[in-house]
């Protein structure tokens, strides 16, 4: 009996396979992962795992016995290399595995620097896989000079950990400000101050021209900036965004548009093939978009699992995300795109409320779980509150 094949054993792939069984699917399920390690979560990689506070056991998504107990055939350590849609088979090493329905949950890879060999040389690190972080450890000596390239959440989290570990950290961001793609300018200012208070130098609107070192492959010794300065470096960490893993889907002729394009149900341009997680773009409020978050990976995968079994559910998330830097837990509900006004509240912690044309679109809450909860509930219910009401409420819960 052929069954369901899931390519990519990360956050979305595991959620999809587990949900299928949870919903009572009785066909064979094969979950295939390119990495050798049992499926794990990535958020701690730039937080507690990099800091050395949490071990491998807390990264793992499910117990080792979970897959066998749920009759999920987990195959690790080999990437699927191609798919044949006509015969409905995928290729794994020398084997062809047949499917009735297929899902791509192939995630994303760290974008590389536009310099020779994508900047791959000793001392230059990305933060995408457990192997990346394990490889970085040898370079994390107190007093070492670290340059972090990229001021998004991953770059900022890595900078916070390196500073905590006693390294001398400079963060370089090409855009006019940090967090330009994902947060409003008030939230960015809050985190700029936080990093500066912790001794991190932040250089915004500062482009990187090249890496310095012996030849193109010798150990990194510095970062050459567009303005001609050279920042000496014992190690470099790049956090300049990700690329969805969609080349195999593209080669198979599926529609691609900033990742594997799916419809409202998570179905690709082939009715037997689905996609979920970082590798996937979908329509959200009239725009095609791609989300890079645990919440999206899980919820989209679970929606796809239900739809593979015929549920016909459309996927309409209310995005949320979090980030940990130093002793600040940031919780984010909604998306900031197109904001034109921000109200800041102090209710113990600090919260930043983004509005577009008077409508609440997102809330960033720093050490303020109550403001996050209130904002999230308002956004989930599709209820807006006016900027004046947010500014004037005595207690944040009065907004509900
Ligand atoms: C350092 C870091 C910190 C993060 N912090 C947060 C956070 O605080 N909050 C948050 O919400 N999100 C965070 N994220 C994002 C979140 O982890 C991702 O959005 C999520 O992992 C996406 O899940 P996914 O299943 O789509 O991709 P992944 O979890 O990346 O899984 C994809 C898997 O597919 C495998 N694969 C790819 N191609 C093939 C192939 N051909 N054959 C077989 N297997 C293949 C890959 O090896 C990979 O294991 C963070 C990410 C990183 C890297």
């Amino acid at each position: 009996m052929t069954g369901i094949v899931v390519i990519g054993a990360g956050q979305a792939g595991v959620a999809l396979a587990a949900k299928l069984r949870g919903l009572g699917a009785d066909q064979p399920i094969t979950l295939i992962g390119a990495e050798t390690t049992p499926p794990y979560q990535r958020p701690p990689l730039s937080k507690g795992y990099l800091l050395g506070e949490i071990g491998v056991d807390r990264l793992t998504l499910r117990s080792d016995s979970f897959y066998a107990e749920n009759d999920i055939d987990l195959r690790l350590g080999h990437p699927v290399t191609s798919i044949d849609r006509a015969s409905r088979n995928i290729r794994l090493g020398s084997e062809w595995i047949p499917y009735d329905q297929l899902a791509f949950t192939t995630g994303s890879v760290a974008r590389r620097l536009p310099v020779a060999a994508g900047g791959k040389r000793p001392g230059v690190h990305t933060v995408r896989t457990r192997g990346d972080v394990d490889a970085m450890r040898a370079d994390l000596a107190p007093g070492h000079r670290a340059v972090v390239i990229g001021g998004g959440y991953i770059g900022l989290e890595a900078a916070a950990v390196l500073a905590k570990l006693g390294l001398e950290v400079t963060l370089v961001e090409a855009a006019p400000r940090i967090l330009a793609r994902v947060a409003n300018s008030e939230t960015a200012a809050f985190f700029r101050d936080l990093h500066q208070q912790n001794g991190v130098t932040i250089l915004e609107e500062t482009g990187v021209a090249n890496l310095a070192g012996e030849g193109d492959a010798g150990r990194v010794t510095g970062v050459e900036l567009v303005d001609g300065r050279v920042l000496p470096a014992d190690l470099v960490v790049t956090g300049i965004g990700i690329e969805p893993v969609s080349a195999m889907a593209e080669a198979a002729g599926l529609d691609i548009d900033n990742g594997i394009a799916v419809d409202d149900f998570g179905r690709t341009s082939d009715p037997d093939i689905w996609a979920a997680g970082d590798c996937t773009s979908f329509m959200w409020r009239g725009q095609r978009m791609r989300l890079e978050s645990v919440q999206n990976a899980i919820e989209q995968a679970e929606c796809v699992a239900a739809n593979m079994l015929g549920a016909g559910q459309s996927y309409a998330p209310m995005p949320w995300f979090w980030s940990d830097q130093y002793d600040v837990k940031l919780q984010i509900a909604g998306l900031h795109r197109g904001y034109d006004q921000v109200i800041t509240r102090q209710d113990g912690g600090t919260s930043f409320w983004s509005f577009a044309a008077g409508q609440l679109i997102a809330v960033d809450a720093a050490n303020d779980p109550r403001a996050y909860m209130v904002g999230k509930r308002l956004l989930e219910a599709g209820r807006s509150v006016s900027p004046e009401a947010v500014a004037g409420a005595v207690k944040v819960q009065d907004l509900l």
Side-chain angles (χ1 to χ4, degrees), residues 56-87:
V56 172
D57 51 319
R58 290 201 16 224
L59 293 184
T60 310
L61 284 168
R62 298 281 186 164
S63 67
D64 288 348
S65 58
F66 170 82
Y67 303 95
E69 280 164 15
N70 285 278
D71 201 13
I72 294 168
D73 182 9
L74 176 65
R75 313 263 195 112
L76 293 175
H78 297 286
V80 175
T81 48
S82 62
I83 66 172
D84 179 357
R85 287 168 54 200
S87 68

Side-chain angles (χ1 to χ4, degrees), residues 314-356:
S314 52
Y315 180 58
M318 203 296 289
W320 55 262
F321 192 80
W322 76 95
S323 175
D324 297 329
Q325 295 170 48
Y326 309 101
D327 55 358
V328 173
K329 173 167 270 311
L330 176 71
Q331 294 169 288
I332 304 158
L335 295 178
H336 295 273
R337 287 177 199 177
Y339 80 94
D340 52 26
Q341 188 178 1
V342 179
I343 302 292
T344 301
R345 285 188 60 96
Q346 303 286 348
D347 297 272
T350 307
S351 57
F352 305 96
W353 301 65
S354 294
F355 293 83

Side-chain angles (χ1 to χ4, degrees), residues 7-13 32-35 40 42-43 45-47 78-81 105-108 127-128 154 157 245 248 276-279 292-295 297 320-323:
I7 308 177
Q11 194 89 55
I32 303 170
E35 294 179 68
Y40 61 94
R42 300 188 190 278
L45 296 180
S46 51
K47 309 177 179 74
H78 297 286
V80 175
T81 48
T105 51
T106 44
S108 53
V127 197
R128 180 74 207 169
I154 288 181
E157 288 180 353
V245 176
M248 189 170 37
D278 280 12
C279 66
E292 301 160 9
S293 72
V294 165
Q295 173 228 5
W320 55 262
F321 192 80
W322 76 95
S323 175

Side-chain angles (χ1 to χ4, degrees), residues 118-179:
K120 277 193 188 171
R121 58 197 303 163
V124 178
H125 302 277
T126 51
V127 197
R128 180 74 207 169
T129 66
R130 199 184 121 191
D132 290 344
V133 176
D134 293 342
M136 202 188 304
R137 292 203 194 286
D139 288 338
L140 298 181
H144 269 187
R145 294 158 304 181
V147 176
V148 177
I149 304 176
Y153 283 119
I154 288 181
L156 288 169
E157 288 180 353
V161 171
L162 300 188
K164 265 186 158 175
L165 292 174
L167 284 83
E168 201 181 292
V169 185
T170 303
L171 184 142
V172 182
E173 168 57 58
R177 65 167 173 86
I178 57 170
L179 298 175

